[in-house]
């Protein structure tokens, strides 16, 4: 795909984030969509392309009253929205539609109008994982961690520092759910969830949503907001079964999507001013830094523990506080994208000065899928 | 009220041989007749070369502890926390999720790379699960 031909011209989260007991999941989609449409200065009738995950496109389009000529229901977990951005950019370039709305919402905490996730007993996961006691992401996502630690010499303290640093960023974000400072000792003394991970190394469970609006870069200059261009994109999937990953020393989906996006953008790692790596659990930024090629995996734990990703550090990472401290409704990818867009617009609460290139990397399922978007505010 | 039960696998035509095997006290894998690739979970073709000529064979049952978590909360129905959810790398190459028996469910006792051997735990008269215990000797 050609770089910088499509731009984000509308971006917004739901009016509230956190615990929202007075709205269904579907209404949260609508709330985010209406906020993004207002942000872009558009009318609903201007939207001719639509993408969402978990909820079907027909469900959300009908509720909003949108009549699309292009839809994408790709639903590969929390990074689905990175894939939607990639697919929407291709569709706009191909002339299939002009203005695409992407929505996410999840009533992850209040569970209003949300179908429970279930694993059929005759699926491969139901036969070969569920009988051994996996029960939701905290029991599954950290399964590779001990092998990763042994292979690369990563310590428990380094993995705890991920949560500490992200809390520093969260403290600068008024909308972050958790803002009180924490220490490595606090993390290592918090309640055990699934060894080696404790409560503060696991993401929050909240309600909320977000929406993006994309159009061609040529049209984008006429919109009220500073356009944020799609510079490079990548995507892949590996397996829905964490036990069947090729290796626990890296993610094949990360190693496919990330470098693809860098190549398409034509950038080197030193060009990256701002980085988001979807952090459902504390090991994901380490996998991401290694698999995206920022440094050898061996160095990732020390890099974060030494403060290189904290406010003022040389590689600002997860500047909203991440899934660990900002919010995590279940599919966090949309919130990572929102923070990249804010940083590129120059309006983030914890703004990285003069940031021109932002890399936003998402994971879906338990390393099942991945999507990477490189944004820039210069064409 | 009955105790909540552990998730029970429901075999499909492609996996029936595996569950017949565990019931008979055998861990069955598949090998490609064309490229010799050994793979899991079961399917009637080779995921490496796409050949449909594949054979079922009895695995050694030997392996080592590749990685694990010790789950504290939330616990799955039918499990008493803390319990380890392990991934075992089999001598023949494939990995599978399982549980470790005859071993304390602690980080000290569960050493990565420790040698394991298969054992079988009947859930009912239809389903027997493959589990692993520290290898003797």
């Amino acid at each position: 795909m050609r770089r910088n031909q499509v731009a984000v011209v509308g971006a917004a989260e739901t009016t509230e984030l956190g615990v929202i007991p007075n709205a269904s999941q579907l209404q949260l989609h609508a709330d985010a969509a209406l906020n993004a449409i207002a942000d872009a200065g558009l009318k609903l009738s201007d939207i001719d392309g639509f993408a969402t995950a978990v909820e079907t496109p027909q469900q959300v389009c009908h509720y909003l009253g949108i009549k699309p000529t292009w839809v994408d229901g790709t639903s590969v977990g929390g990074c689905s929205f990175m894939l939607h951005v990639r697919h929407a950019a291709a569709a706009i370039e191909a002339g299939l539609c002009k203005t695409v709305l992407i929505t996410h919402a999840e009533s992850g905490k209040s569970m209003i109008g949300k179908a429970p996730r279930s694993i059929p007993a005759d699926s491969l996961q139901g036969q070969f994982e569920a009988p051994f006691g996996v029960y939701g992401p905290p029991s599954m996502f950290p399964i590779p961690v001990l092998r990763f630690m042994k292979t690369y010499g990563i310590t428990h303290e380094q993995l705890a520092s991920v949560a500490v640093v992200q809390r520093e960023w969260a403290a600068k974000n008024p909308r972050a759910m958790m803002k009180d400072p924490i220490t490595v000792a606090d993390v290592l003394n918090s309640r055990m969830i699934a060894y080696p991970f404790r409560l503060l190394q696991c993401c929050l469970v909240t309600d909320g949503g977000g929406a993006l609006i994309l159009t061609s870069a040529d049209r984008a200059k006429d919109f009220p907001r500073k356009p944020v261009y799609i510079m490079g994109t990548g995507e892949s999937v590996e397996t829905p079964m964490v036990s069947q990953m090729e290796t626990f020393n890296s993610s094949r989906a990360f190693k496919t999507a990330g470098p693809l996006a860098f190549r398409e953008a034509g950038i080197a790692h030193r060009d990256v001013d701002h980085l988001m790596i979807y952090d459902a659990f504390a090991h994901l930024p380490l996998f991401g830094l290694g698999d995206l090629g920022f440094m050898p995996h061996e160095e990732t734990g020390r890099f974060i523990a030494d403060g290189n990703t904290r406010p003022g550090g040389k590689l600002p990472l997860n500047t909203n506080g991440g899934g660990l401290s900002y919010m995590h409704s279940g599919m966090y990818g949309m919130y990572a994208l929102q923070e990249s867009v804010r940083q590129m617009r120059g309006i983030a609460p914890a703004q990285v000065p003069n940031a021109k290139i932002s890399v936003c990397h998402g994971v879906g399922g338990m390393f099942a899928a991945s999507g990477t978007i490189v944004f820039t505010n210069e064409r | 009220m009955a105790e909540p039960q552990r998730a029970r696998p429901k075999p499909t035509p492609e996996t029936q041989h595996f569950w017949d095997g565990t019931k008979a006290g055998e861990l069955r894998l598949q090998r490609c007749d064309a490229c010799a690739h050994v793979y899991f979970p079961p399917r009637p073709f080779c995921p490496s070369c796409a050949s449909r000529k594949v054979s079922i064979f009895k695995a050694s049952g030997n392996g080592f502890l590749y990685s694990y978590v010790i789950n504290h909360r939330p616990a799955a129905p039918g499990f008493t926390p803390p319990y380890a959810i392990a991934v075992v790398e089999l001598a023949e190459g494939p990995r599978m999720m399982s549980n470790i028996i005859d071993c304390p469910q602690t980080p000290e006792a569960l050493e990565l790379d420790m040698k394991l051997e298969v054992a079988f735990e009947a859930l009912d008269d239809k389903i027997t699960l493959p589990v692993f215990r520290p290898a003797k000797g």
Side-chain angles (χ1 to χ4, degrees), chain A residues 307-327:
Chain A
N308 291 296
T309 60
R310 66 188 291 194
K314 65 181 170 193
L315 185 58
L317 170 65
N318 293 342
T319 51
N320 57 356
L324 296 178
S325 285
Y326 182 68
M327 85 89 67

Side-chain angles (χ1 to χ4, degrees), chain A residues 261-323:
Chain A
F262 273 76
R263 273 200 300 281
E264 196 171 279
I267 60 165
H269 293 87
R270 65 174 177 279
D271 300 325
V272 177
D273 301 309
H274 172 252
L275 178 61
M276 298 297 289
I277 299 176
Y278 187 141
D279 59 320
F281 293 87
H283 56 318
L284 292 172
L286 279 66
F287 274 77
L289 287 171
D291 289 342
L292 267 57
F294 282 93
M295 63 200 70
H297 290 92
E298 289 86 339
E299 295 172 18
T300 55
R302 180 174 299 171
F303 186 79
I304 291 174
D306 285 353
N308 291 296
T309 60
R310 66 188 291 194
K314 65 181 170 193
L315 185 58
L317 170 65
N318 293 342
T319 51
N320 57 356

Side-chain angles (χ1 to χ4, degrees), chain A residues 50-52 55-62 71-74:
Chain A
F50 181 81
T52 196
E55 296 283 359
T56 59
Q58 58 267 40
Q59 181 78 268
V60 182
C61 282
H62 169 253
V71 295
D72 179 10
T74 302

Side-chain angles (χ1 to χ4, degrees), chain A residues 121-122 127-128 131-135 139 142-143 146-147 150 191-195 244-248, chain B residues 6 8 10 12 15 19 40 65-70 72-73 75 77 79 83 85 95 97 99 112-113 130:
Chain A
D122 53 1
Q127 294 180 69
F128 299 112
F132 304 106
V134 294
Y135 199 58
S139 63
I143 284 177
L146 289 176
R147 173 57 56 181
K150 179 163 183 174
R191 195 167 76 204
M192 188 65 85
I193 300 294
Y195 176 85
Q244 299 304 314
M245 291 172 70
E246 279 183 3
T247 170
F248 285 176
Chain B
R6 181 165 173 151
R8 270 170 164 62
K10 184 176 171 192
T12 62
T15 64
W19 296 111
F40 175 86
L65 183 56
Y66 183 61
S67 199
Y68 66 93
V69 293
I70 302 172
H72 287 244
R73 66 173 70 194
F79 283 81
Y83 61 93
I85 305 166
R95 295 190 197 113
M97 189 174 280
N99 297 121
L112 287 199
D113 299 316

Side-chain angles (χ1 to χ4, degrees), chain A residues 18 38 59 66 125 158 162 170 184 221 264 273 279 321-322 348 350 356:
Chain A
Q59 181 78 268
I66 290 172
Q125 299 96 304
Q158 289 169 347
V162 174
V184 166
K221 61 183 183 301
E264 196 171 279
D273 301 309
D279 59 320
K356 294 183 175 61

Side-chain angles (χ1 to χ4, degrees), chain B:
Chain B
M1 203 174 81
E3 288 293 308
Q5 285 192 339
R6 181 165 173 151
R8 270 170 164 62
K10 184 176 171 192
T12 62
E14 298 81 26
T15 64
Q16 189 63 52
H17 70 268
F18 180 87
W19 296 111
D20 290 344
T22 53
K23 197 178 164 189
E26 289 185 5
L27 186 66
R28 292 178 184 168
L29 294 175
Q30 287 170 300
R31 182 186 288 116
C32 176
D33 296 341
C35 77
H37 179 59
V38 178
Y39 63 89
F40 175 86
R43 68 208 86 166
F45 62 93
C46 172
S48 183
C49 79
S51 169
R52 290 175 187 260
K53 292 192 168 60
V54 298
S55 302
I56 296 163
F57 70 100
K58 180 187 171 187
S60 65
N62 298 323
F64 69 88
L65 183 56
Y66 183 61
S67 199
Y68 66 93
V69 293
I70 302 172
N71 198 37
H72 287 244
R73 66 173 70 194
F79 283 81
T80 306
Y83 61 93
I85 305 166
V87 173
V88 178
E89 183 164 319
L90 301 171
E92 291 81 3
R95 295 190 197 113
M96 59 188 298
M97 189 174 280
S98 190
N99 297 121
I100 309 297
I101 62 167
D102 300 340
C103 181
Q105 306 289 288
T106 63
E108 295 72 28
L110 292 162
E111 276 190 64
L112 287 199
D113 299 316
M114 69 193 280
K115 290 198 166 93
L116 301 167
E117 61 186 28
V118 75
F120 297 96
E121 234 174 57
L123 282 188
D124 55 30
D125 57 4
K126 286 198 180 76
I127 293 291
T128 294
L129 293 178
V131 295
F132 287 80
R133 63 179 163 228
K136 294 186 184 71

Side-chain angles (χ1 to χ4, degrees), chain A residues 44-330:
Chain A
L44 271 172
S45 56
D46 295 322
I47 303 298
D48 63 353
F50 181 81
T52 196
V54 181
E55 296 283 359
T56 59
Q58 58 267 40
Q59 181 78 268
V60 182
C61 282
H62 169 253
Y63 193 66
L64 278 165
I66 290 172
K67 298 170 185 133
T69 58
W70 176 87
V71 295
D72 179 10
T74 302
S75 194
V76 293
C79 65
S80 299
F81 317 102
M82 282 79 173
L83 277 69
H84 294 157
V85 168
R86 186 171 204 243
H87 302 171
I92 291 165
E93 268 238 85
L96 303 182
C97 52
K98 287 192 169 68
T99 311
V100 173
L101 170 66
I102 302 168
T103 68
H104 158 69
E106 194 157 351
S107 182
K109 176 79 172 174
S110 301
M111 303 291 283
I112 303 168
K114 174 184 154 85
R117 294 182 187 182
S118 66
I119 300 173
D122 53 1
S123 65
L124 292 178
Q125 299 96 304
Q127 294 180 69
F128 299 112
E129 291 195 332
F132 304 106
V134 294
Y135 199 58
S139 63
M140 284 192 273
F141 228 143
I143 284 177
V145 174
L146 289 176
R147 173 57 56 181
F148 185 87
M149 291 172 74
K150 179 163 183 174
T151 301
Y152 299 122
I154 304 293
T155 67
H156 291 282
E157 288 74 15
Q158 289 169 347
L159 277 166
S161 73
V162 174
V164 173
V165 170
Q166 292 196 195
R167 188 60 66 85
E168 287 186 49
W169 283 112
K172 297 171 177 290
N173 280 267
R175 275 162 71 88
M177 183 93 172
M178 308 297 277
K179 292 191 274 285
D180 294 340
I182 52 173
T183 65
V184 166
D186 291 335
V187 177
L188 295 178
N189 289 321
S190 62
R191 195 167 76 204
M192 188 65 85
I193 300 294
Y195 176 85
F197 277 177
R198 294 169 181 273
L199 182 68
L200 293 176
Q201 290 164 303
C202 303
C203 65
L204 305 167
V205 181
T206 58
D207 304 323
L212 295 170
I213 296 172
L214 277 68
T215 195
S216 68
D218 291 337
R219 289 182 71 215
K221 61 183 183 301
D222 301 326
F223 281 74
R225 305 289 182 197
K226 181 176 177 177
V228 177
Y229 302 100
I230 312 300
M231 196 181 193
T233 62
E235 68 185 286
S236 193
V237 295
E238 183 176 357
T239 168
M241 302 171 76
V242 67
S243 63
Q244 299 304 314
M245 291 172 70
E246 279 183 3
T247 170
F248 285 176
N249 295 325
S250 69
S251 156
R252 191 187 80 195
F254 283 21
K255 288 182 99 151
T256 305
L260 199 56
F262 273 76
R263 273 200 300 281
E264 196 171 279
I267 60 165
H269 293 87
R270 65 174 177 279
D271 300 325
V272 177
D273 301 309
H274 172 252
L275 178 61
M276 298 297 289
I277 299 176
Y278 187 141
D279 59 320
F281 293 87
H283 56 318
L284 292 172
L286 279 66
F287 274 77
L289 287 171
D291 289 342
L292 267 57
F294 282 93
M295 63 200 70
H297 290 92
E298 289 86 339
E299 295 172 18
T300 55
R302 180 174 299 171
F303 186 79
I304 291 174
D306 285 353
N308 291 296
T309 60
R310 66 188 291 194
K314 65 181 170 193
L315 185 58
L317 170 65
N318 293 342
T319 51
N320 57 356
L324 296 178
S325 285
Y326 182 68
M327 85 89 67
H328 196 295
S329 53

